[in-house]
Each structure stands twice: as structure tokens, then as C-alpha cells.
Amino acid sequence: MDFTLTEEQRLIQEAARDFAQNDLLPGVIERDEAQKFPTEEVRKMGELGFLGMMVDPKYGGSGLDTLSYVLVMEELSKVDASSSVIVSVNNSLVCWGLETFGTEAQKEKYLTRLTTGEIIGAFCLSEPEAGSDATSQKTTALDKGDHYILNGTKNWITNGSSAEIYLVIAQTDKDKKHKGINALIVEKGADGFEIGPKENKLGIRGSDTHSLIFNDVKVPKENRIGEDGFGFKFAMKTLAGGRIGIAAQALGIAAGAYELALKYSKERKAFGTEISNHQAIAFKLADMHTQIEAARNLVYKAAYDKDNNQDYDLSGAMAKLYASQVAMDTTVEAVQIHGGNGFVKEYHVERLMRDAKITQIYEGTSEIQKIVISRSILRD
Ligand code: CAA
Ligand code: FAD
């Protein structure tokens, strides 16, 4: 495996780095405090091609590989994880699923608008009583011939109020358990579709997280993704790739905190010398650097597997499990290295620490990644 970046990948990485510094950084503290969605920034990311990175150009996508997507996620997340989760959901959970399993009509109707940023999408699996235990879907999609009738509540939905289309997982035939679940495309504004209040969160506060309520929402059959009963597999296959995106987000958060800590340690003086000259601080930096490099290798390996048609369930889960732990450990140490300044908003590391925590929870908690990993190694 050779992770030397191609000229194209290097340019994309640079474009993402420039965008993060010039467009995301200036308002990131204010957006975090006010829980303000990055509307203008998302529009620009659409123009830059960051919202449909792996989609075929015939649907408005950038036609790039997973490693390019990971590089962009990493750069954006160094500065603003609220913006990068929007990129991750739109790319991995919405565009990928639609392009891979959607009908030509669905792709024509939705994909081009999603890849250009004209609209963004949401992925709706979690429910009040079905988070980690995702097969326990209570939302129902009853088959009424040419349409489904959708009833139930989804929880914690990223892009909850800003999305225009929602991929909703729901139970059609309870007796068939996970084989009776479907994935449906629901448009905002459908009769009976209500968006709940915005969650007031610890981190990624610029991203809008909502519950969604469906009351007898009529969804035409042509909006079903895949065959009848394919919905749970659809969700699992989609999440396998999504976890690579979140692993890259965690890697970026860790790398962002490390870069700030490294710079600060060479500027701040205590006991007559830069704090980086105190071994206790230098060793923290050594640990952070080593862990980040190890996480990067796992994340790039998972992207490599996906790009080379290898199984990536295992490598994606390992990358997410490890990178999210590194994000947590590294950001806590970055705050420590900043001393009192680490505790105030202007220095950014406290936000990165708050943002890091979610990477151990969404798209499958760390405990769920261990289930995926252990089942895989025991099966093999
Ligand atoms: N690819 C294809 N099929 C898969 C699969 C995969 N990666 N993983 C599981 N399946 C299939 C299984 O093969 C099985 O089908 P068959 O019976 O036909 O073989 C079916 O799915 C059920 O699998 P399990 O028996 O393993 O199911 P389980 O109840 O033990 O649960 C689980 C498995 C891995 C724990 C799963 O429930 C899970 O991933 N839970 C976590 C949910 C999650 O990640 N939610 C994220 C929501 S989205 C989000 O969070 C977005 C965001 O924040 C931005
Ligand atoms: P639970 O499943 O109740 O888990 C509670 C604890 O028990 C966890 O520590 C868990 O790891 C542990 N646990 C559960 N089962 C086991 C087990 N078998 N073995 C060991 N430990 C176990 N969902 C979406 O569908 N779409 C989204 O866009 C989305 N965005 C989100 C954004 C945010 C900010 C948040 C907070 C969540 C989001 N989620 C989304 C939901 C997220 O995926 C779930 O919160 C997550 O999967 C965990 O589910 P839960 O919250 O119900 O926790």
C-alpha cells in the first residue's frame, strides 16, 4: 500500500485546507456559541465539489476516490467539525446510498441537486428506542399498494431542519424482523412530516440535530430504495462507508488540536523557557503525534480498502474506534498544554475537545464498533 498522495489528491487537500482557514475559521466560535448552521459555508462547499465527492460527474459529483474524501474531511475537521459532519452525512450516508442503490429516476431527481449543494440530505435510522439496537425499528411504513404510510419518530437527525430530502428507515413487515425493513426517500414539506425542536448539544453545535415526527405521511413506492425488505442492509452497507468519514473527522479533530498545542508549546514560556522544553510537555506531544500517525494509517487503509473493492466493514470500524479514541485523548491533552488558555474559547482547543466526544457516539458507538470488529475476527 502506498499512501503517497497523487498531484490531484494534494491539490484537493490544499483546497480544503485553504477553505477551512479562510472560510470556516473566522466564524467558527460564533457559530458554536449561537448553534448557528453554516449556511453560506455549505453553499461554498457545494461550489468546491465537497458535497458529492465520490459521485459520478454525470450526476454533478466530483468523481473522486475515498482517500480524497478522507483528506477533505480531515482538513475541514481540524477547524470545524460542525461543518465536516454535514459533508460526511451528505457524501457517505445520502449520496453514496442513492448512487449505489437508487433507481435512475431517483438519481436524476435528487442526486444532482445533492452533489452541487443546492440541497442537502439527512439519514434517519435512530429512534428513541432504536439507537445501537438498530433492528428494533418502531417507525412503520405500511404497504398500501402504490405507496407507503409512514408513522413514527426518528431521533438525533443531523441536518434535521436544513435538509430537503430524508432517507428514512422504517419497518414494513414486523414478522420478517430486519428483513421487513425499508428505506424511503421523504421530501421536506410532505403532509404529516414535522420537524422537532433543535437539540442543545455539548459539541458540533453548528450542526442542526432534530427529532423528526411522521404522522400518516404518504410516500410513493417509487421512493423506496432497493427491493422490498432491503432497508436494513441498505443502512448497514451505507454506515460501513460512513464510518470511514467519521474516522477521518476524528483524525482531523485530533490533528487540529495537536497543531495548536505544538505551536502554543513553542511560544508559551514558564520557568524561563518555552514549555516545549519541559519533558512532560514534549512527551505529551510525542504521544499525540504517534497516536495521530497510527490513526491516519488506519483511516487511509480503510479508504484504500473501499477504493480497491476490498471488504471495508472491519477496517472502517477499526479506524473509527481508534481515531475517535485518539481524538478524545489528544484534545484533552491539547487543553492541558494550553493551561488556563485551553479553557477559554479563543484558543479553539476546548471546542475541539467537546466536538471530539461525538465521534465515539454517532455512526455506531465505540462499543458497537467493537461488536463489528469482534464478530468479523471471530468469523474469519
Ligand atoms: N453490510 C451488509 N449487511 C450487514 C452489515 C453490513 N455491514 N452488517 C449487518 N448486516 C446484516 C446482517 O448480515 C444481517 O442480515 P442477514 O440476517 O440477512 O444475514 C442483518 O444485517 C442483521 O445483522 P445482525 O444480526 O448483525 O444485527 P444486530 O441486531 O446484531 O446488529 C449492529 C448489528 C452492527 C449492532 C447494528 O445494529 C448497528 O450497526 N448498530 C449501530 C447503529 C448505528 O450505527 N447507527 C448510526 C445512525 S446514523 C448516524 O449516527 C449519523 C450521524 O451521526 C452523522
Ligand atoms: P444506546 O443505544 O442507548 O446506547 C447507550 C450506551 O449503551 C452506549 O454506550 C452504547 O455503546 C451501549 N450499548 C448499547 N448496546 C450495547 C451492546 N450490545 N453492547 C455493549 N454496549 C452497548 N442517527 C441517525 O440515524 N442519523 C443521524 O444523522 C444522527 N446524527 C446524530 C447526531 C448527534 C449529535 C447524535 C448525538 C446522535 C446522532 N445519531 C444519528 C444517533 C446516533 O447514531 C446514536 O445516538 C447512537 O447510534 C447510539 O444510540 P443511542 O443514543 O440510542 O444509545
Side-chain angles (χ1 to χ4, degrees), residues 61-260:
S62 304
L64 295 165
D65 58 5
T66 313
L67 184 55
S68 302
Y69 164 57
V70 157
L71 294 170
V72 168
M73 280 299 296
E74 189 180 337
E75 291 306 322
L76 301 179
S77 307
K78 282 182 186 175
V79 173
D80 184 6
S82 295
S83 293
S84 72
V85 71
I86 299 163
V87 172
S88 180
V89 167
N90 207 64
N91 274 285
S92 302
L93 301 187
V94 181
C95 289
W96 185 85
L98 268 179
E99 187 177 30
T100 310
F101 301 112
T103 62
E104 201 48 43
Q106 289 167 351
K107 292 183 206 179
E108 275 169 22
K109 189 167 178 191
Y110 299 111
L111 209 44
T112 310
R113 296 168 67 211
L114 284 163
T115 51
T116 53
E118 183 190 331
I119 61 170
I120 57 171
F123 178 85
C124 317
L125 173 66
S126 304
E127 299 185 354
E129 291 171 74
S132 302
D133 185 9
T135 58
S136 294
Q137 295 284 307
K138 302 284 184 292
T139 299
T140 55
L142 298 186
D143 190 336
K144 298 287 176 186
D146 65 346
H147 66 272
Y148 291 97
I149 292 292
L150 192 60
N151 275 292
T153 300
K154 291 291 170 183
N155 248 21
W156 312 115
I157 305 304
T158 302
N159 300 340
S161 64
S162 49
E164 290 294 326
I165 72 151
Y166 299 78
L167 307 189
V168 181
I169 313 298
Q171 187 82 52
T172 295
D173 188 339
K174 207 167 183 294
D175 293 340
K176 291 187 183 160
K177 300 189 174 153
H178 66 267
K179 291 181 177 155
I181 290 175
N182 280 307
L184 306 175
I185 305 168
V186 180
E187 296 188 15
K188 185 185 247 165
D191 278 349
F193 175 16
E194 194 189 313
I195 298 168
K198 191 170 174 166
E199 302 291 350
N200 188 359
K201 308 193 296 287
L202 170 76
I204 58 161
R205 288 169 55 81
S207 141
D208 62 320
T209 314
H210 293 256
S211 54
L212 307 175
I213 304 107
F214 303 97
N215 271 316
D216 288 335
V217 177
K218 191 173 171 183
V219 186
K221 269 249 167 96
E222 67 251 29
N223 281 20
R224 188 183 71 213
I225 302 174
E227 294 298 307
D228 183 32
F230 180 64
F232 193 72
K233 289 245 170 191
F234 168 81
M236 289 297 111
K237 283 173 182 279
T238 303
L239 280 167
R243 288 167 184 162
I244 303 175
I246 299 303
Q249 180 184 50
L251 169 63
I253 293 170
Y258 166 73
E259 285 171 15
L260 290 169

Side-chain angles (χ1 to χ4, degrees), residues 24 27-36 38 41 80 83 206:
L24 294 181
V28 68
I29 294 174
E30 184 207 327
R31 287 195 300 278
D32 173 69
E33 276 197 303
Q35 296 215 90
K36 187 167 173 272
E41 291 76 8
D80 184 6
S83 293

